[in-house]
Amino acid sequence: MHVVVNAAASADGKLSTRRREQVEISGSDDFARVDRLRATSDAVLVGVGTVLADDPHLTLDDPSRRQEREARGDPRNPARVVVDSSGRTPLDARILDDEATTYVVVADETTATRKAALEDAGAEVLVAGDEQVSLPEALAKLDERGVDDLMVEGGGEIIYSLFAAGLVDELSLYVGSLVIGGRDAPTVADGPGFVESFPRLSLREVTHIDDGVLLQYDVMGRPEEQ
Ligand SMILES: NC(=O)c1ccc[n+]([C@@H]2O[C@H](COP(=O)([O-])OP(=O)(O)OC[C@H]3O[C@@H](n4cnc5c(N)ncnc54)[C@H](OP(=O)(O)O)[C@@H]3O)[C@@H](O)[C@H]2O)c1
Ligand SMILES: Nc1nc(=O)c(N)c(NC[C@H](O)[C@H](O)[C@H](O)COP(=O)(O)O)[nH]1
């Protein structure tokens, strides 16, 4: 599986405000780029924190890209994946509509009642991990279901855990020309943070888009992995 993390951050590295309210950091050209990246992916993954904060839809905006996918025999939208240990995804979340397949990856502790409610609401529930979702197990289950190209759209907790598990191949980071600030605002990679053997990146491309810059990195891995 090939994993691309895509995110947009302010110049001070924030994904949104301290209230976790969604901020439009990308401009129209960068959102078009994100739509193209979704169109070439088999699945788009977010954490439940993003679902609760943004209620995202994670489908393609451009109808011609849906047609192109169908013309090559793919579903019109990539599958959607929510990483959600105890099944907190609201049953009326936009991500559960029938515009695309949606996998809700839960941990073993999730009750059978909650799993059944999510399935009734349109999700395919996958179990990976005991108390918190195990990302290596989750990606292995997605791989079994034909996901070769996985796009991750955040948020900061999920991005940190994917780097910590050595599961990221590429990082596409759009840096918008604004300052959000706030010690409690989510950043590109939150979690407990690394204190040594930092994942190393190789800067492949720098592109001026809208009023910001797109940084595209290949992930070299952590020193002990190189
Ligand atoms: N600018 C951008 O590009 C962008 C992109 C996405 C999101 N955002 C913003 O970021 C914020 C949401 O980010 P977030 O960090 O709070 O949430 P998140 O990363 O989307 O989701 C984090 C949640 O995922 C669950 N999880 C399950 N297994 C996990 C694992 N192995 N590692 C880490 N998390 C795991 C945890 O909840 P459980 O323990 O309940 O499972 C955790 O609280 C929102 O404000 C949103 O607007 C911005
Ligand atoms: N590329 C990007 N630029 C931004 O300025 C921004 N705020 C996000 N945020 C990502 C987050 O995951 C959102 O929830 C989905 O981008 C919403 O996706 P929909 O439009 O509902 O499909 N992503």
Side-chain angles (χ1 to χ4, degrees):
M1 181 184 290
H2 189 79
V3 178
V4 178
V5 169
N6 183 85
S10 57
D12 55 317
K14 308 294 183 183
L15 293 180
S16 64
T17 71
R18 69 176 188 278
R19 293 190 190 134
R20 290 181 138 63
E21 290 157 346
Q22 189 177 10
V23 177
E24 277 214 353
I25 299 169
S26 297
S28 54
D29 289 347
D30 190 54
F31 276 123
R33 177 191 63 82
V34 171
D35 203 51
R36 286 194 298 275
L37 184 54
R38 284 181 182 176
T40 58
S41 304
D42 298 310
V44 180
L45 180 149
V46 294
V48 66
T50 297
V51 171
L52 295 169
D54 298 357
D55 194 17
H57 199 222
L58 300 183
T59 54
L60 302 186
D61 293 335
D62 186 321
S64 68
R65 293 189 187 119
R66 290 197 289 270
Q67 284 151 14
E68 280 164 22
R69 285 180 59 93
E70 288 185 312
R72 61 176 188 257
D74 288 337
R76 66 177 185 276
N77 286 302
R80 303 171 288 196
V81 184
V82 186
V83 177
D84 177 9
S85 305
S86 55
R88 295 188 289 150
T89 297
L91 301 179
D92 61 353
R94 295 169 66 220
I95 212 170
L96 292 176
D97 71 10
D98 58 9
E99 281 295 311
T101 298
T102 301
Y103 300 108
V104 176
V105 187
V106 301
D108 217 25
E109 66 165 29
T110 305
T111 64
T113 315
R114 190 64 192 165
K115 289 177 197 162
L118 285 165
E119 279 165 354
D120 289 349
E124 185 176 335
V125 175
L126 306 178
V127 179
D130 302 328
E131 285 161 25
Q132 189 179 48
V133 170
S134 152
L135 293 170
E137 272 185 56
L139 269 55
K141 292 204 168 179
L142 293 171
D143 191 74
E144 287 163 14
R145 287 162 178 78
V147 176
D148 295 329
D149 290 301
L150 179 67
M151 176 184 180
V152 175
E153 288 209 40
E157 293 295 332
I158 283 292
I159 293 172
Y160 171 82
S161 292
L162 285 165
F163 272 107
L167 293 169
V168 183
D169 299 297
E170 286 181 54
L171 171 65
S172 289
L173 179 63
Y174 178 77
V175 180
S177 300
L178 73 162
V179 170
I180 293 178
R183 66 180 64 80
D184 300 326
T187 70
V188 177
D190 286 326
F194 302 103
V195 292
E196 58 189 12
S197 70
F198 305 104
R200 293 291 167 178
L201 310 173
S202 166
L203 184 58
R204 188 180 68 239
E205 203 168 333
V206 178
T207 319
H208 188 169
I209 298 185
D210 301 316
D211 70 341
V213 61
L214 174 67
L215 306 171
Q216 292 178 287
Y217 299 94
D218 293 316
V219 179
M220 312 307 289
R222 302 175 75 176
E224 65 270 20
E225 294 161 356
Q226 292 174 29

